[in-house]
Amino acid sequence: MNTEQTHQTEQAARAASLEAIAQVVATVERTQRAKDAEGFLALFHPEALWTTGHGKVLIGFEAIAEFTRAVLPTASWDGEVTYEVVHTQFLRPDVAAVKVRQLYRAPDGDTEGAPLYVMTREPDGRWLLTACQNTQVVADPAGGPARGRRSGRGRGGVHT
């Protein structure tokens, strides 16, 4: 294989990884909207860790599962939640840091989260959530919303 072919192969692999990562984030959105704890949990690495937007640290799949099964099915919010990949940084070909914009739209105003998902690609090709931190976006001290976006009090959803 020559240099050009190698470059094309690497670019194709990167594009496939980016698409697979976007699909995981889309599944997070879908499972959050549906309050589907088991579908959400299927996205996690067995040794994952998660810190919620309110600072609760969950280490290992069982802790994440216990929390999710207790909170997600009964979460209440009026409106809609969306998740958007805003940046993916490959730390290695099989490890990616994924910055996500999480937006809750509700009649009384929108709120925002800024999760960071460190994802790993498994030998079977699946990308899994491995180390995740959710952060609630709050208004900056100068009085405006952070990064020019509307922000407010925390809202439902399992990880805001």
Side-chain angles (χ1 to χ4, degrees), residues 37-38 41 61-74 158:
E38 299 311 312
L41 292 169
F61 180 82
E62 290 307 317
I64 295 166
E66 181 180 350
F67 176 82
T68 300
R69 289 175 180 137
V71 175
L72 183 57
T74 60
V158 69

Side-chain angles (χ1 to χ4, degrees), residues 94-110:
D94 61 342
V95 179
V98 182
K99 196 64 188 164
V100 174
R101 180 176 187 223
Q102 173 190 59
L103 187 61
Y104 287 93
R105 297 190 183 278
D108 63 342
D110 298 347

Side-chain angles (χ1 to χ4, degrees), residues 37-61:
E38 299 311 312
F40 180 69
L41 292 169
L43 303 172
F44 282 89
H45 187 278
E47 296 178 20
L49 62 97
W50 187 281
T51 302
T52 70
H54 295 114
K56 184 169 184 67
V57 177
L58 306 167
I59 299 174
F61 180 82

Side-chain angles (χ1 to χ4, degrees):
M1 197 180 285
N2 67 33
T3 304
E4 177 68 24
Q5 290 171 322
T6 300
H7 179 72
Q8 288 175 348
T9 300
E10 289 170 357
Q11 291 297 79
R14 177 179 164 76
S17 290
L18 287 169
E19 177 58 29
I21 288 166
Q23 287 304 311
V24 170
V25 173
T27 303
V28 169
E29 177 182 298
R30 182 185 53 75
T31 58
Q32 291 286 303
R33 286 181 175 189
K35 300 180 185 181
D36 175 6
E38 299 311 312
F40 180 69
L41 292 169
L43 303 172
F44 282 89
H45 187 278
E47 296 178 20
L49 62 97
W50 187 281
T51 302
T52 70
H54 295 114
K56 184 169 184 67
V57 177
L58 306 167
I59 299 174
F61 180 82
E62 290 307 317
I64 295 166
E66 181 180 350
F67 176 82
T68 300
R69 289 175 180 137
V71 175
L72 183 57
T74 60
S76 63
W77 61 84
D78 296 325
E80 175 179 292
V81 62
T82 60
Y83 290 72
E84 171 191 6
V85 174
V86 294
H87 182 75
T88 299
Q89 178 73 42
F90 287 96
L91 307 176
R92 296 189 327 216
D94 61 342
V95 179
V98 182
K99 196 64 188 164
V100 174
R101 180 176 187 223
Q102 173 190 59
L103 187 61
Y104 287 93
R105 297 190 183 278
D108 63 342
D110 298 347
T111 59
E112 184 177 347
L116 174 65
Y117 301 156
V118 176
M119 299 175 67
T120 54
R121 186 176 58 217
E122 296 303 295
D124 65 6
R126 291 179 306 137
W127 284 89
L128 296 177
L129 300 170
T130 304
C132 305
Q133 167 79 45
N134 202 353
T135 303
Q136 182 180 355
V137 177
V138 296
D140 73 26
R147 295 186 317 275
R149 295 184 180 130
R150 186 169 182 201
S151 179
R153 67 186 179 285
R155 182 163 309 285
V158 69
H159 299 291
T160 52

